[in-house]
Amino acid sequence: MSAAAVSQQILSLETHLGRPLFDRAANRVHLTPEGSDFLPTVQVSLSAIESKAASIFSRQRIEPVTLLVSQLMAMSWLPRTLADFQDENPSIRVTC
């Protein structure tokens, strides 16, 4: 977005809220007390939107990996190692 578009959106929000969020001077802009009070709520809300959008719309590539191991390894070392790997990497799904 351009600076002018952001400025218009802020002015629209201030009109909607009925209060200024910024004190504007010649070359400076500062939050008003109301703007400072409102900022943490806006940050939490934007973070929640970003997280939800990422979980719904992010592209997730699923690429299978095939492991070839001896029967002894498959019965002893591999289950424990895969369990440890899955604990350390909860976003990676391990299927057997």
Side-chain angles (χ1 to χ4, degrees):
M1 291 182 96
S2 69
V6 171
S7 181
Q8 287 297 320
Q9 291 295 313
I10 292 170
L11 287 172
S12 177
L13 178 60
E14 289 175 328
T15 300
H16 176 75
L17 296 172
R19 297 217 168 127
L21 298 173
F22 294 93
D23 286 322
R24 294 163 179 88
N27 289 326
R28 296 170 31 159
V29 176
H30 293 291
L31 285 170
T32 63
E34 291 87 358
S36 292
D37 191 35
F38 193 43
L39 181 60
T41 301
V42 171
Q43 289 172 320
V44 168
S45 298
L46 289 175
S47 178
I49 291 168
E50 182 179 8
S51 294
K52 185 51 111 175
S55 73
I56 294 173
F57 301 112
S58 70
R59 293 183 184 171
Q60 296 180 356
R61 292 182 5 207
I62 299 174
E63 296 184 25
V65 174
T66 303
L67 300 175
L68 298 174
V69 297
S70 68
Q71 185 175 5
L72 177 62
M73 294 289 278
M75 294 176 66
S76 59
W77 172 83
L78 187 59
R80 182 177 55 250
T81 302
L82 285 178
D84 291 345
F85 177 83
Q86 188 127 27
D87 288 344
E88 294 171 9
N89 301 279
S91 65
I92 299 175
R93 184 174 34 130
V94 176
T95 58
C96 299

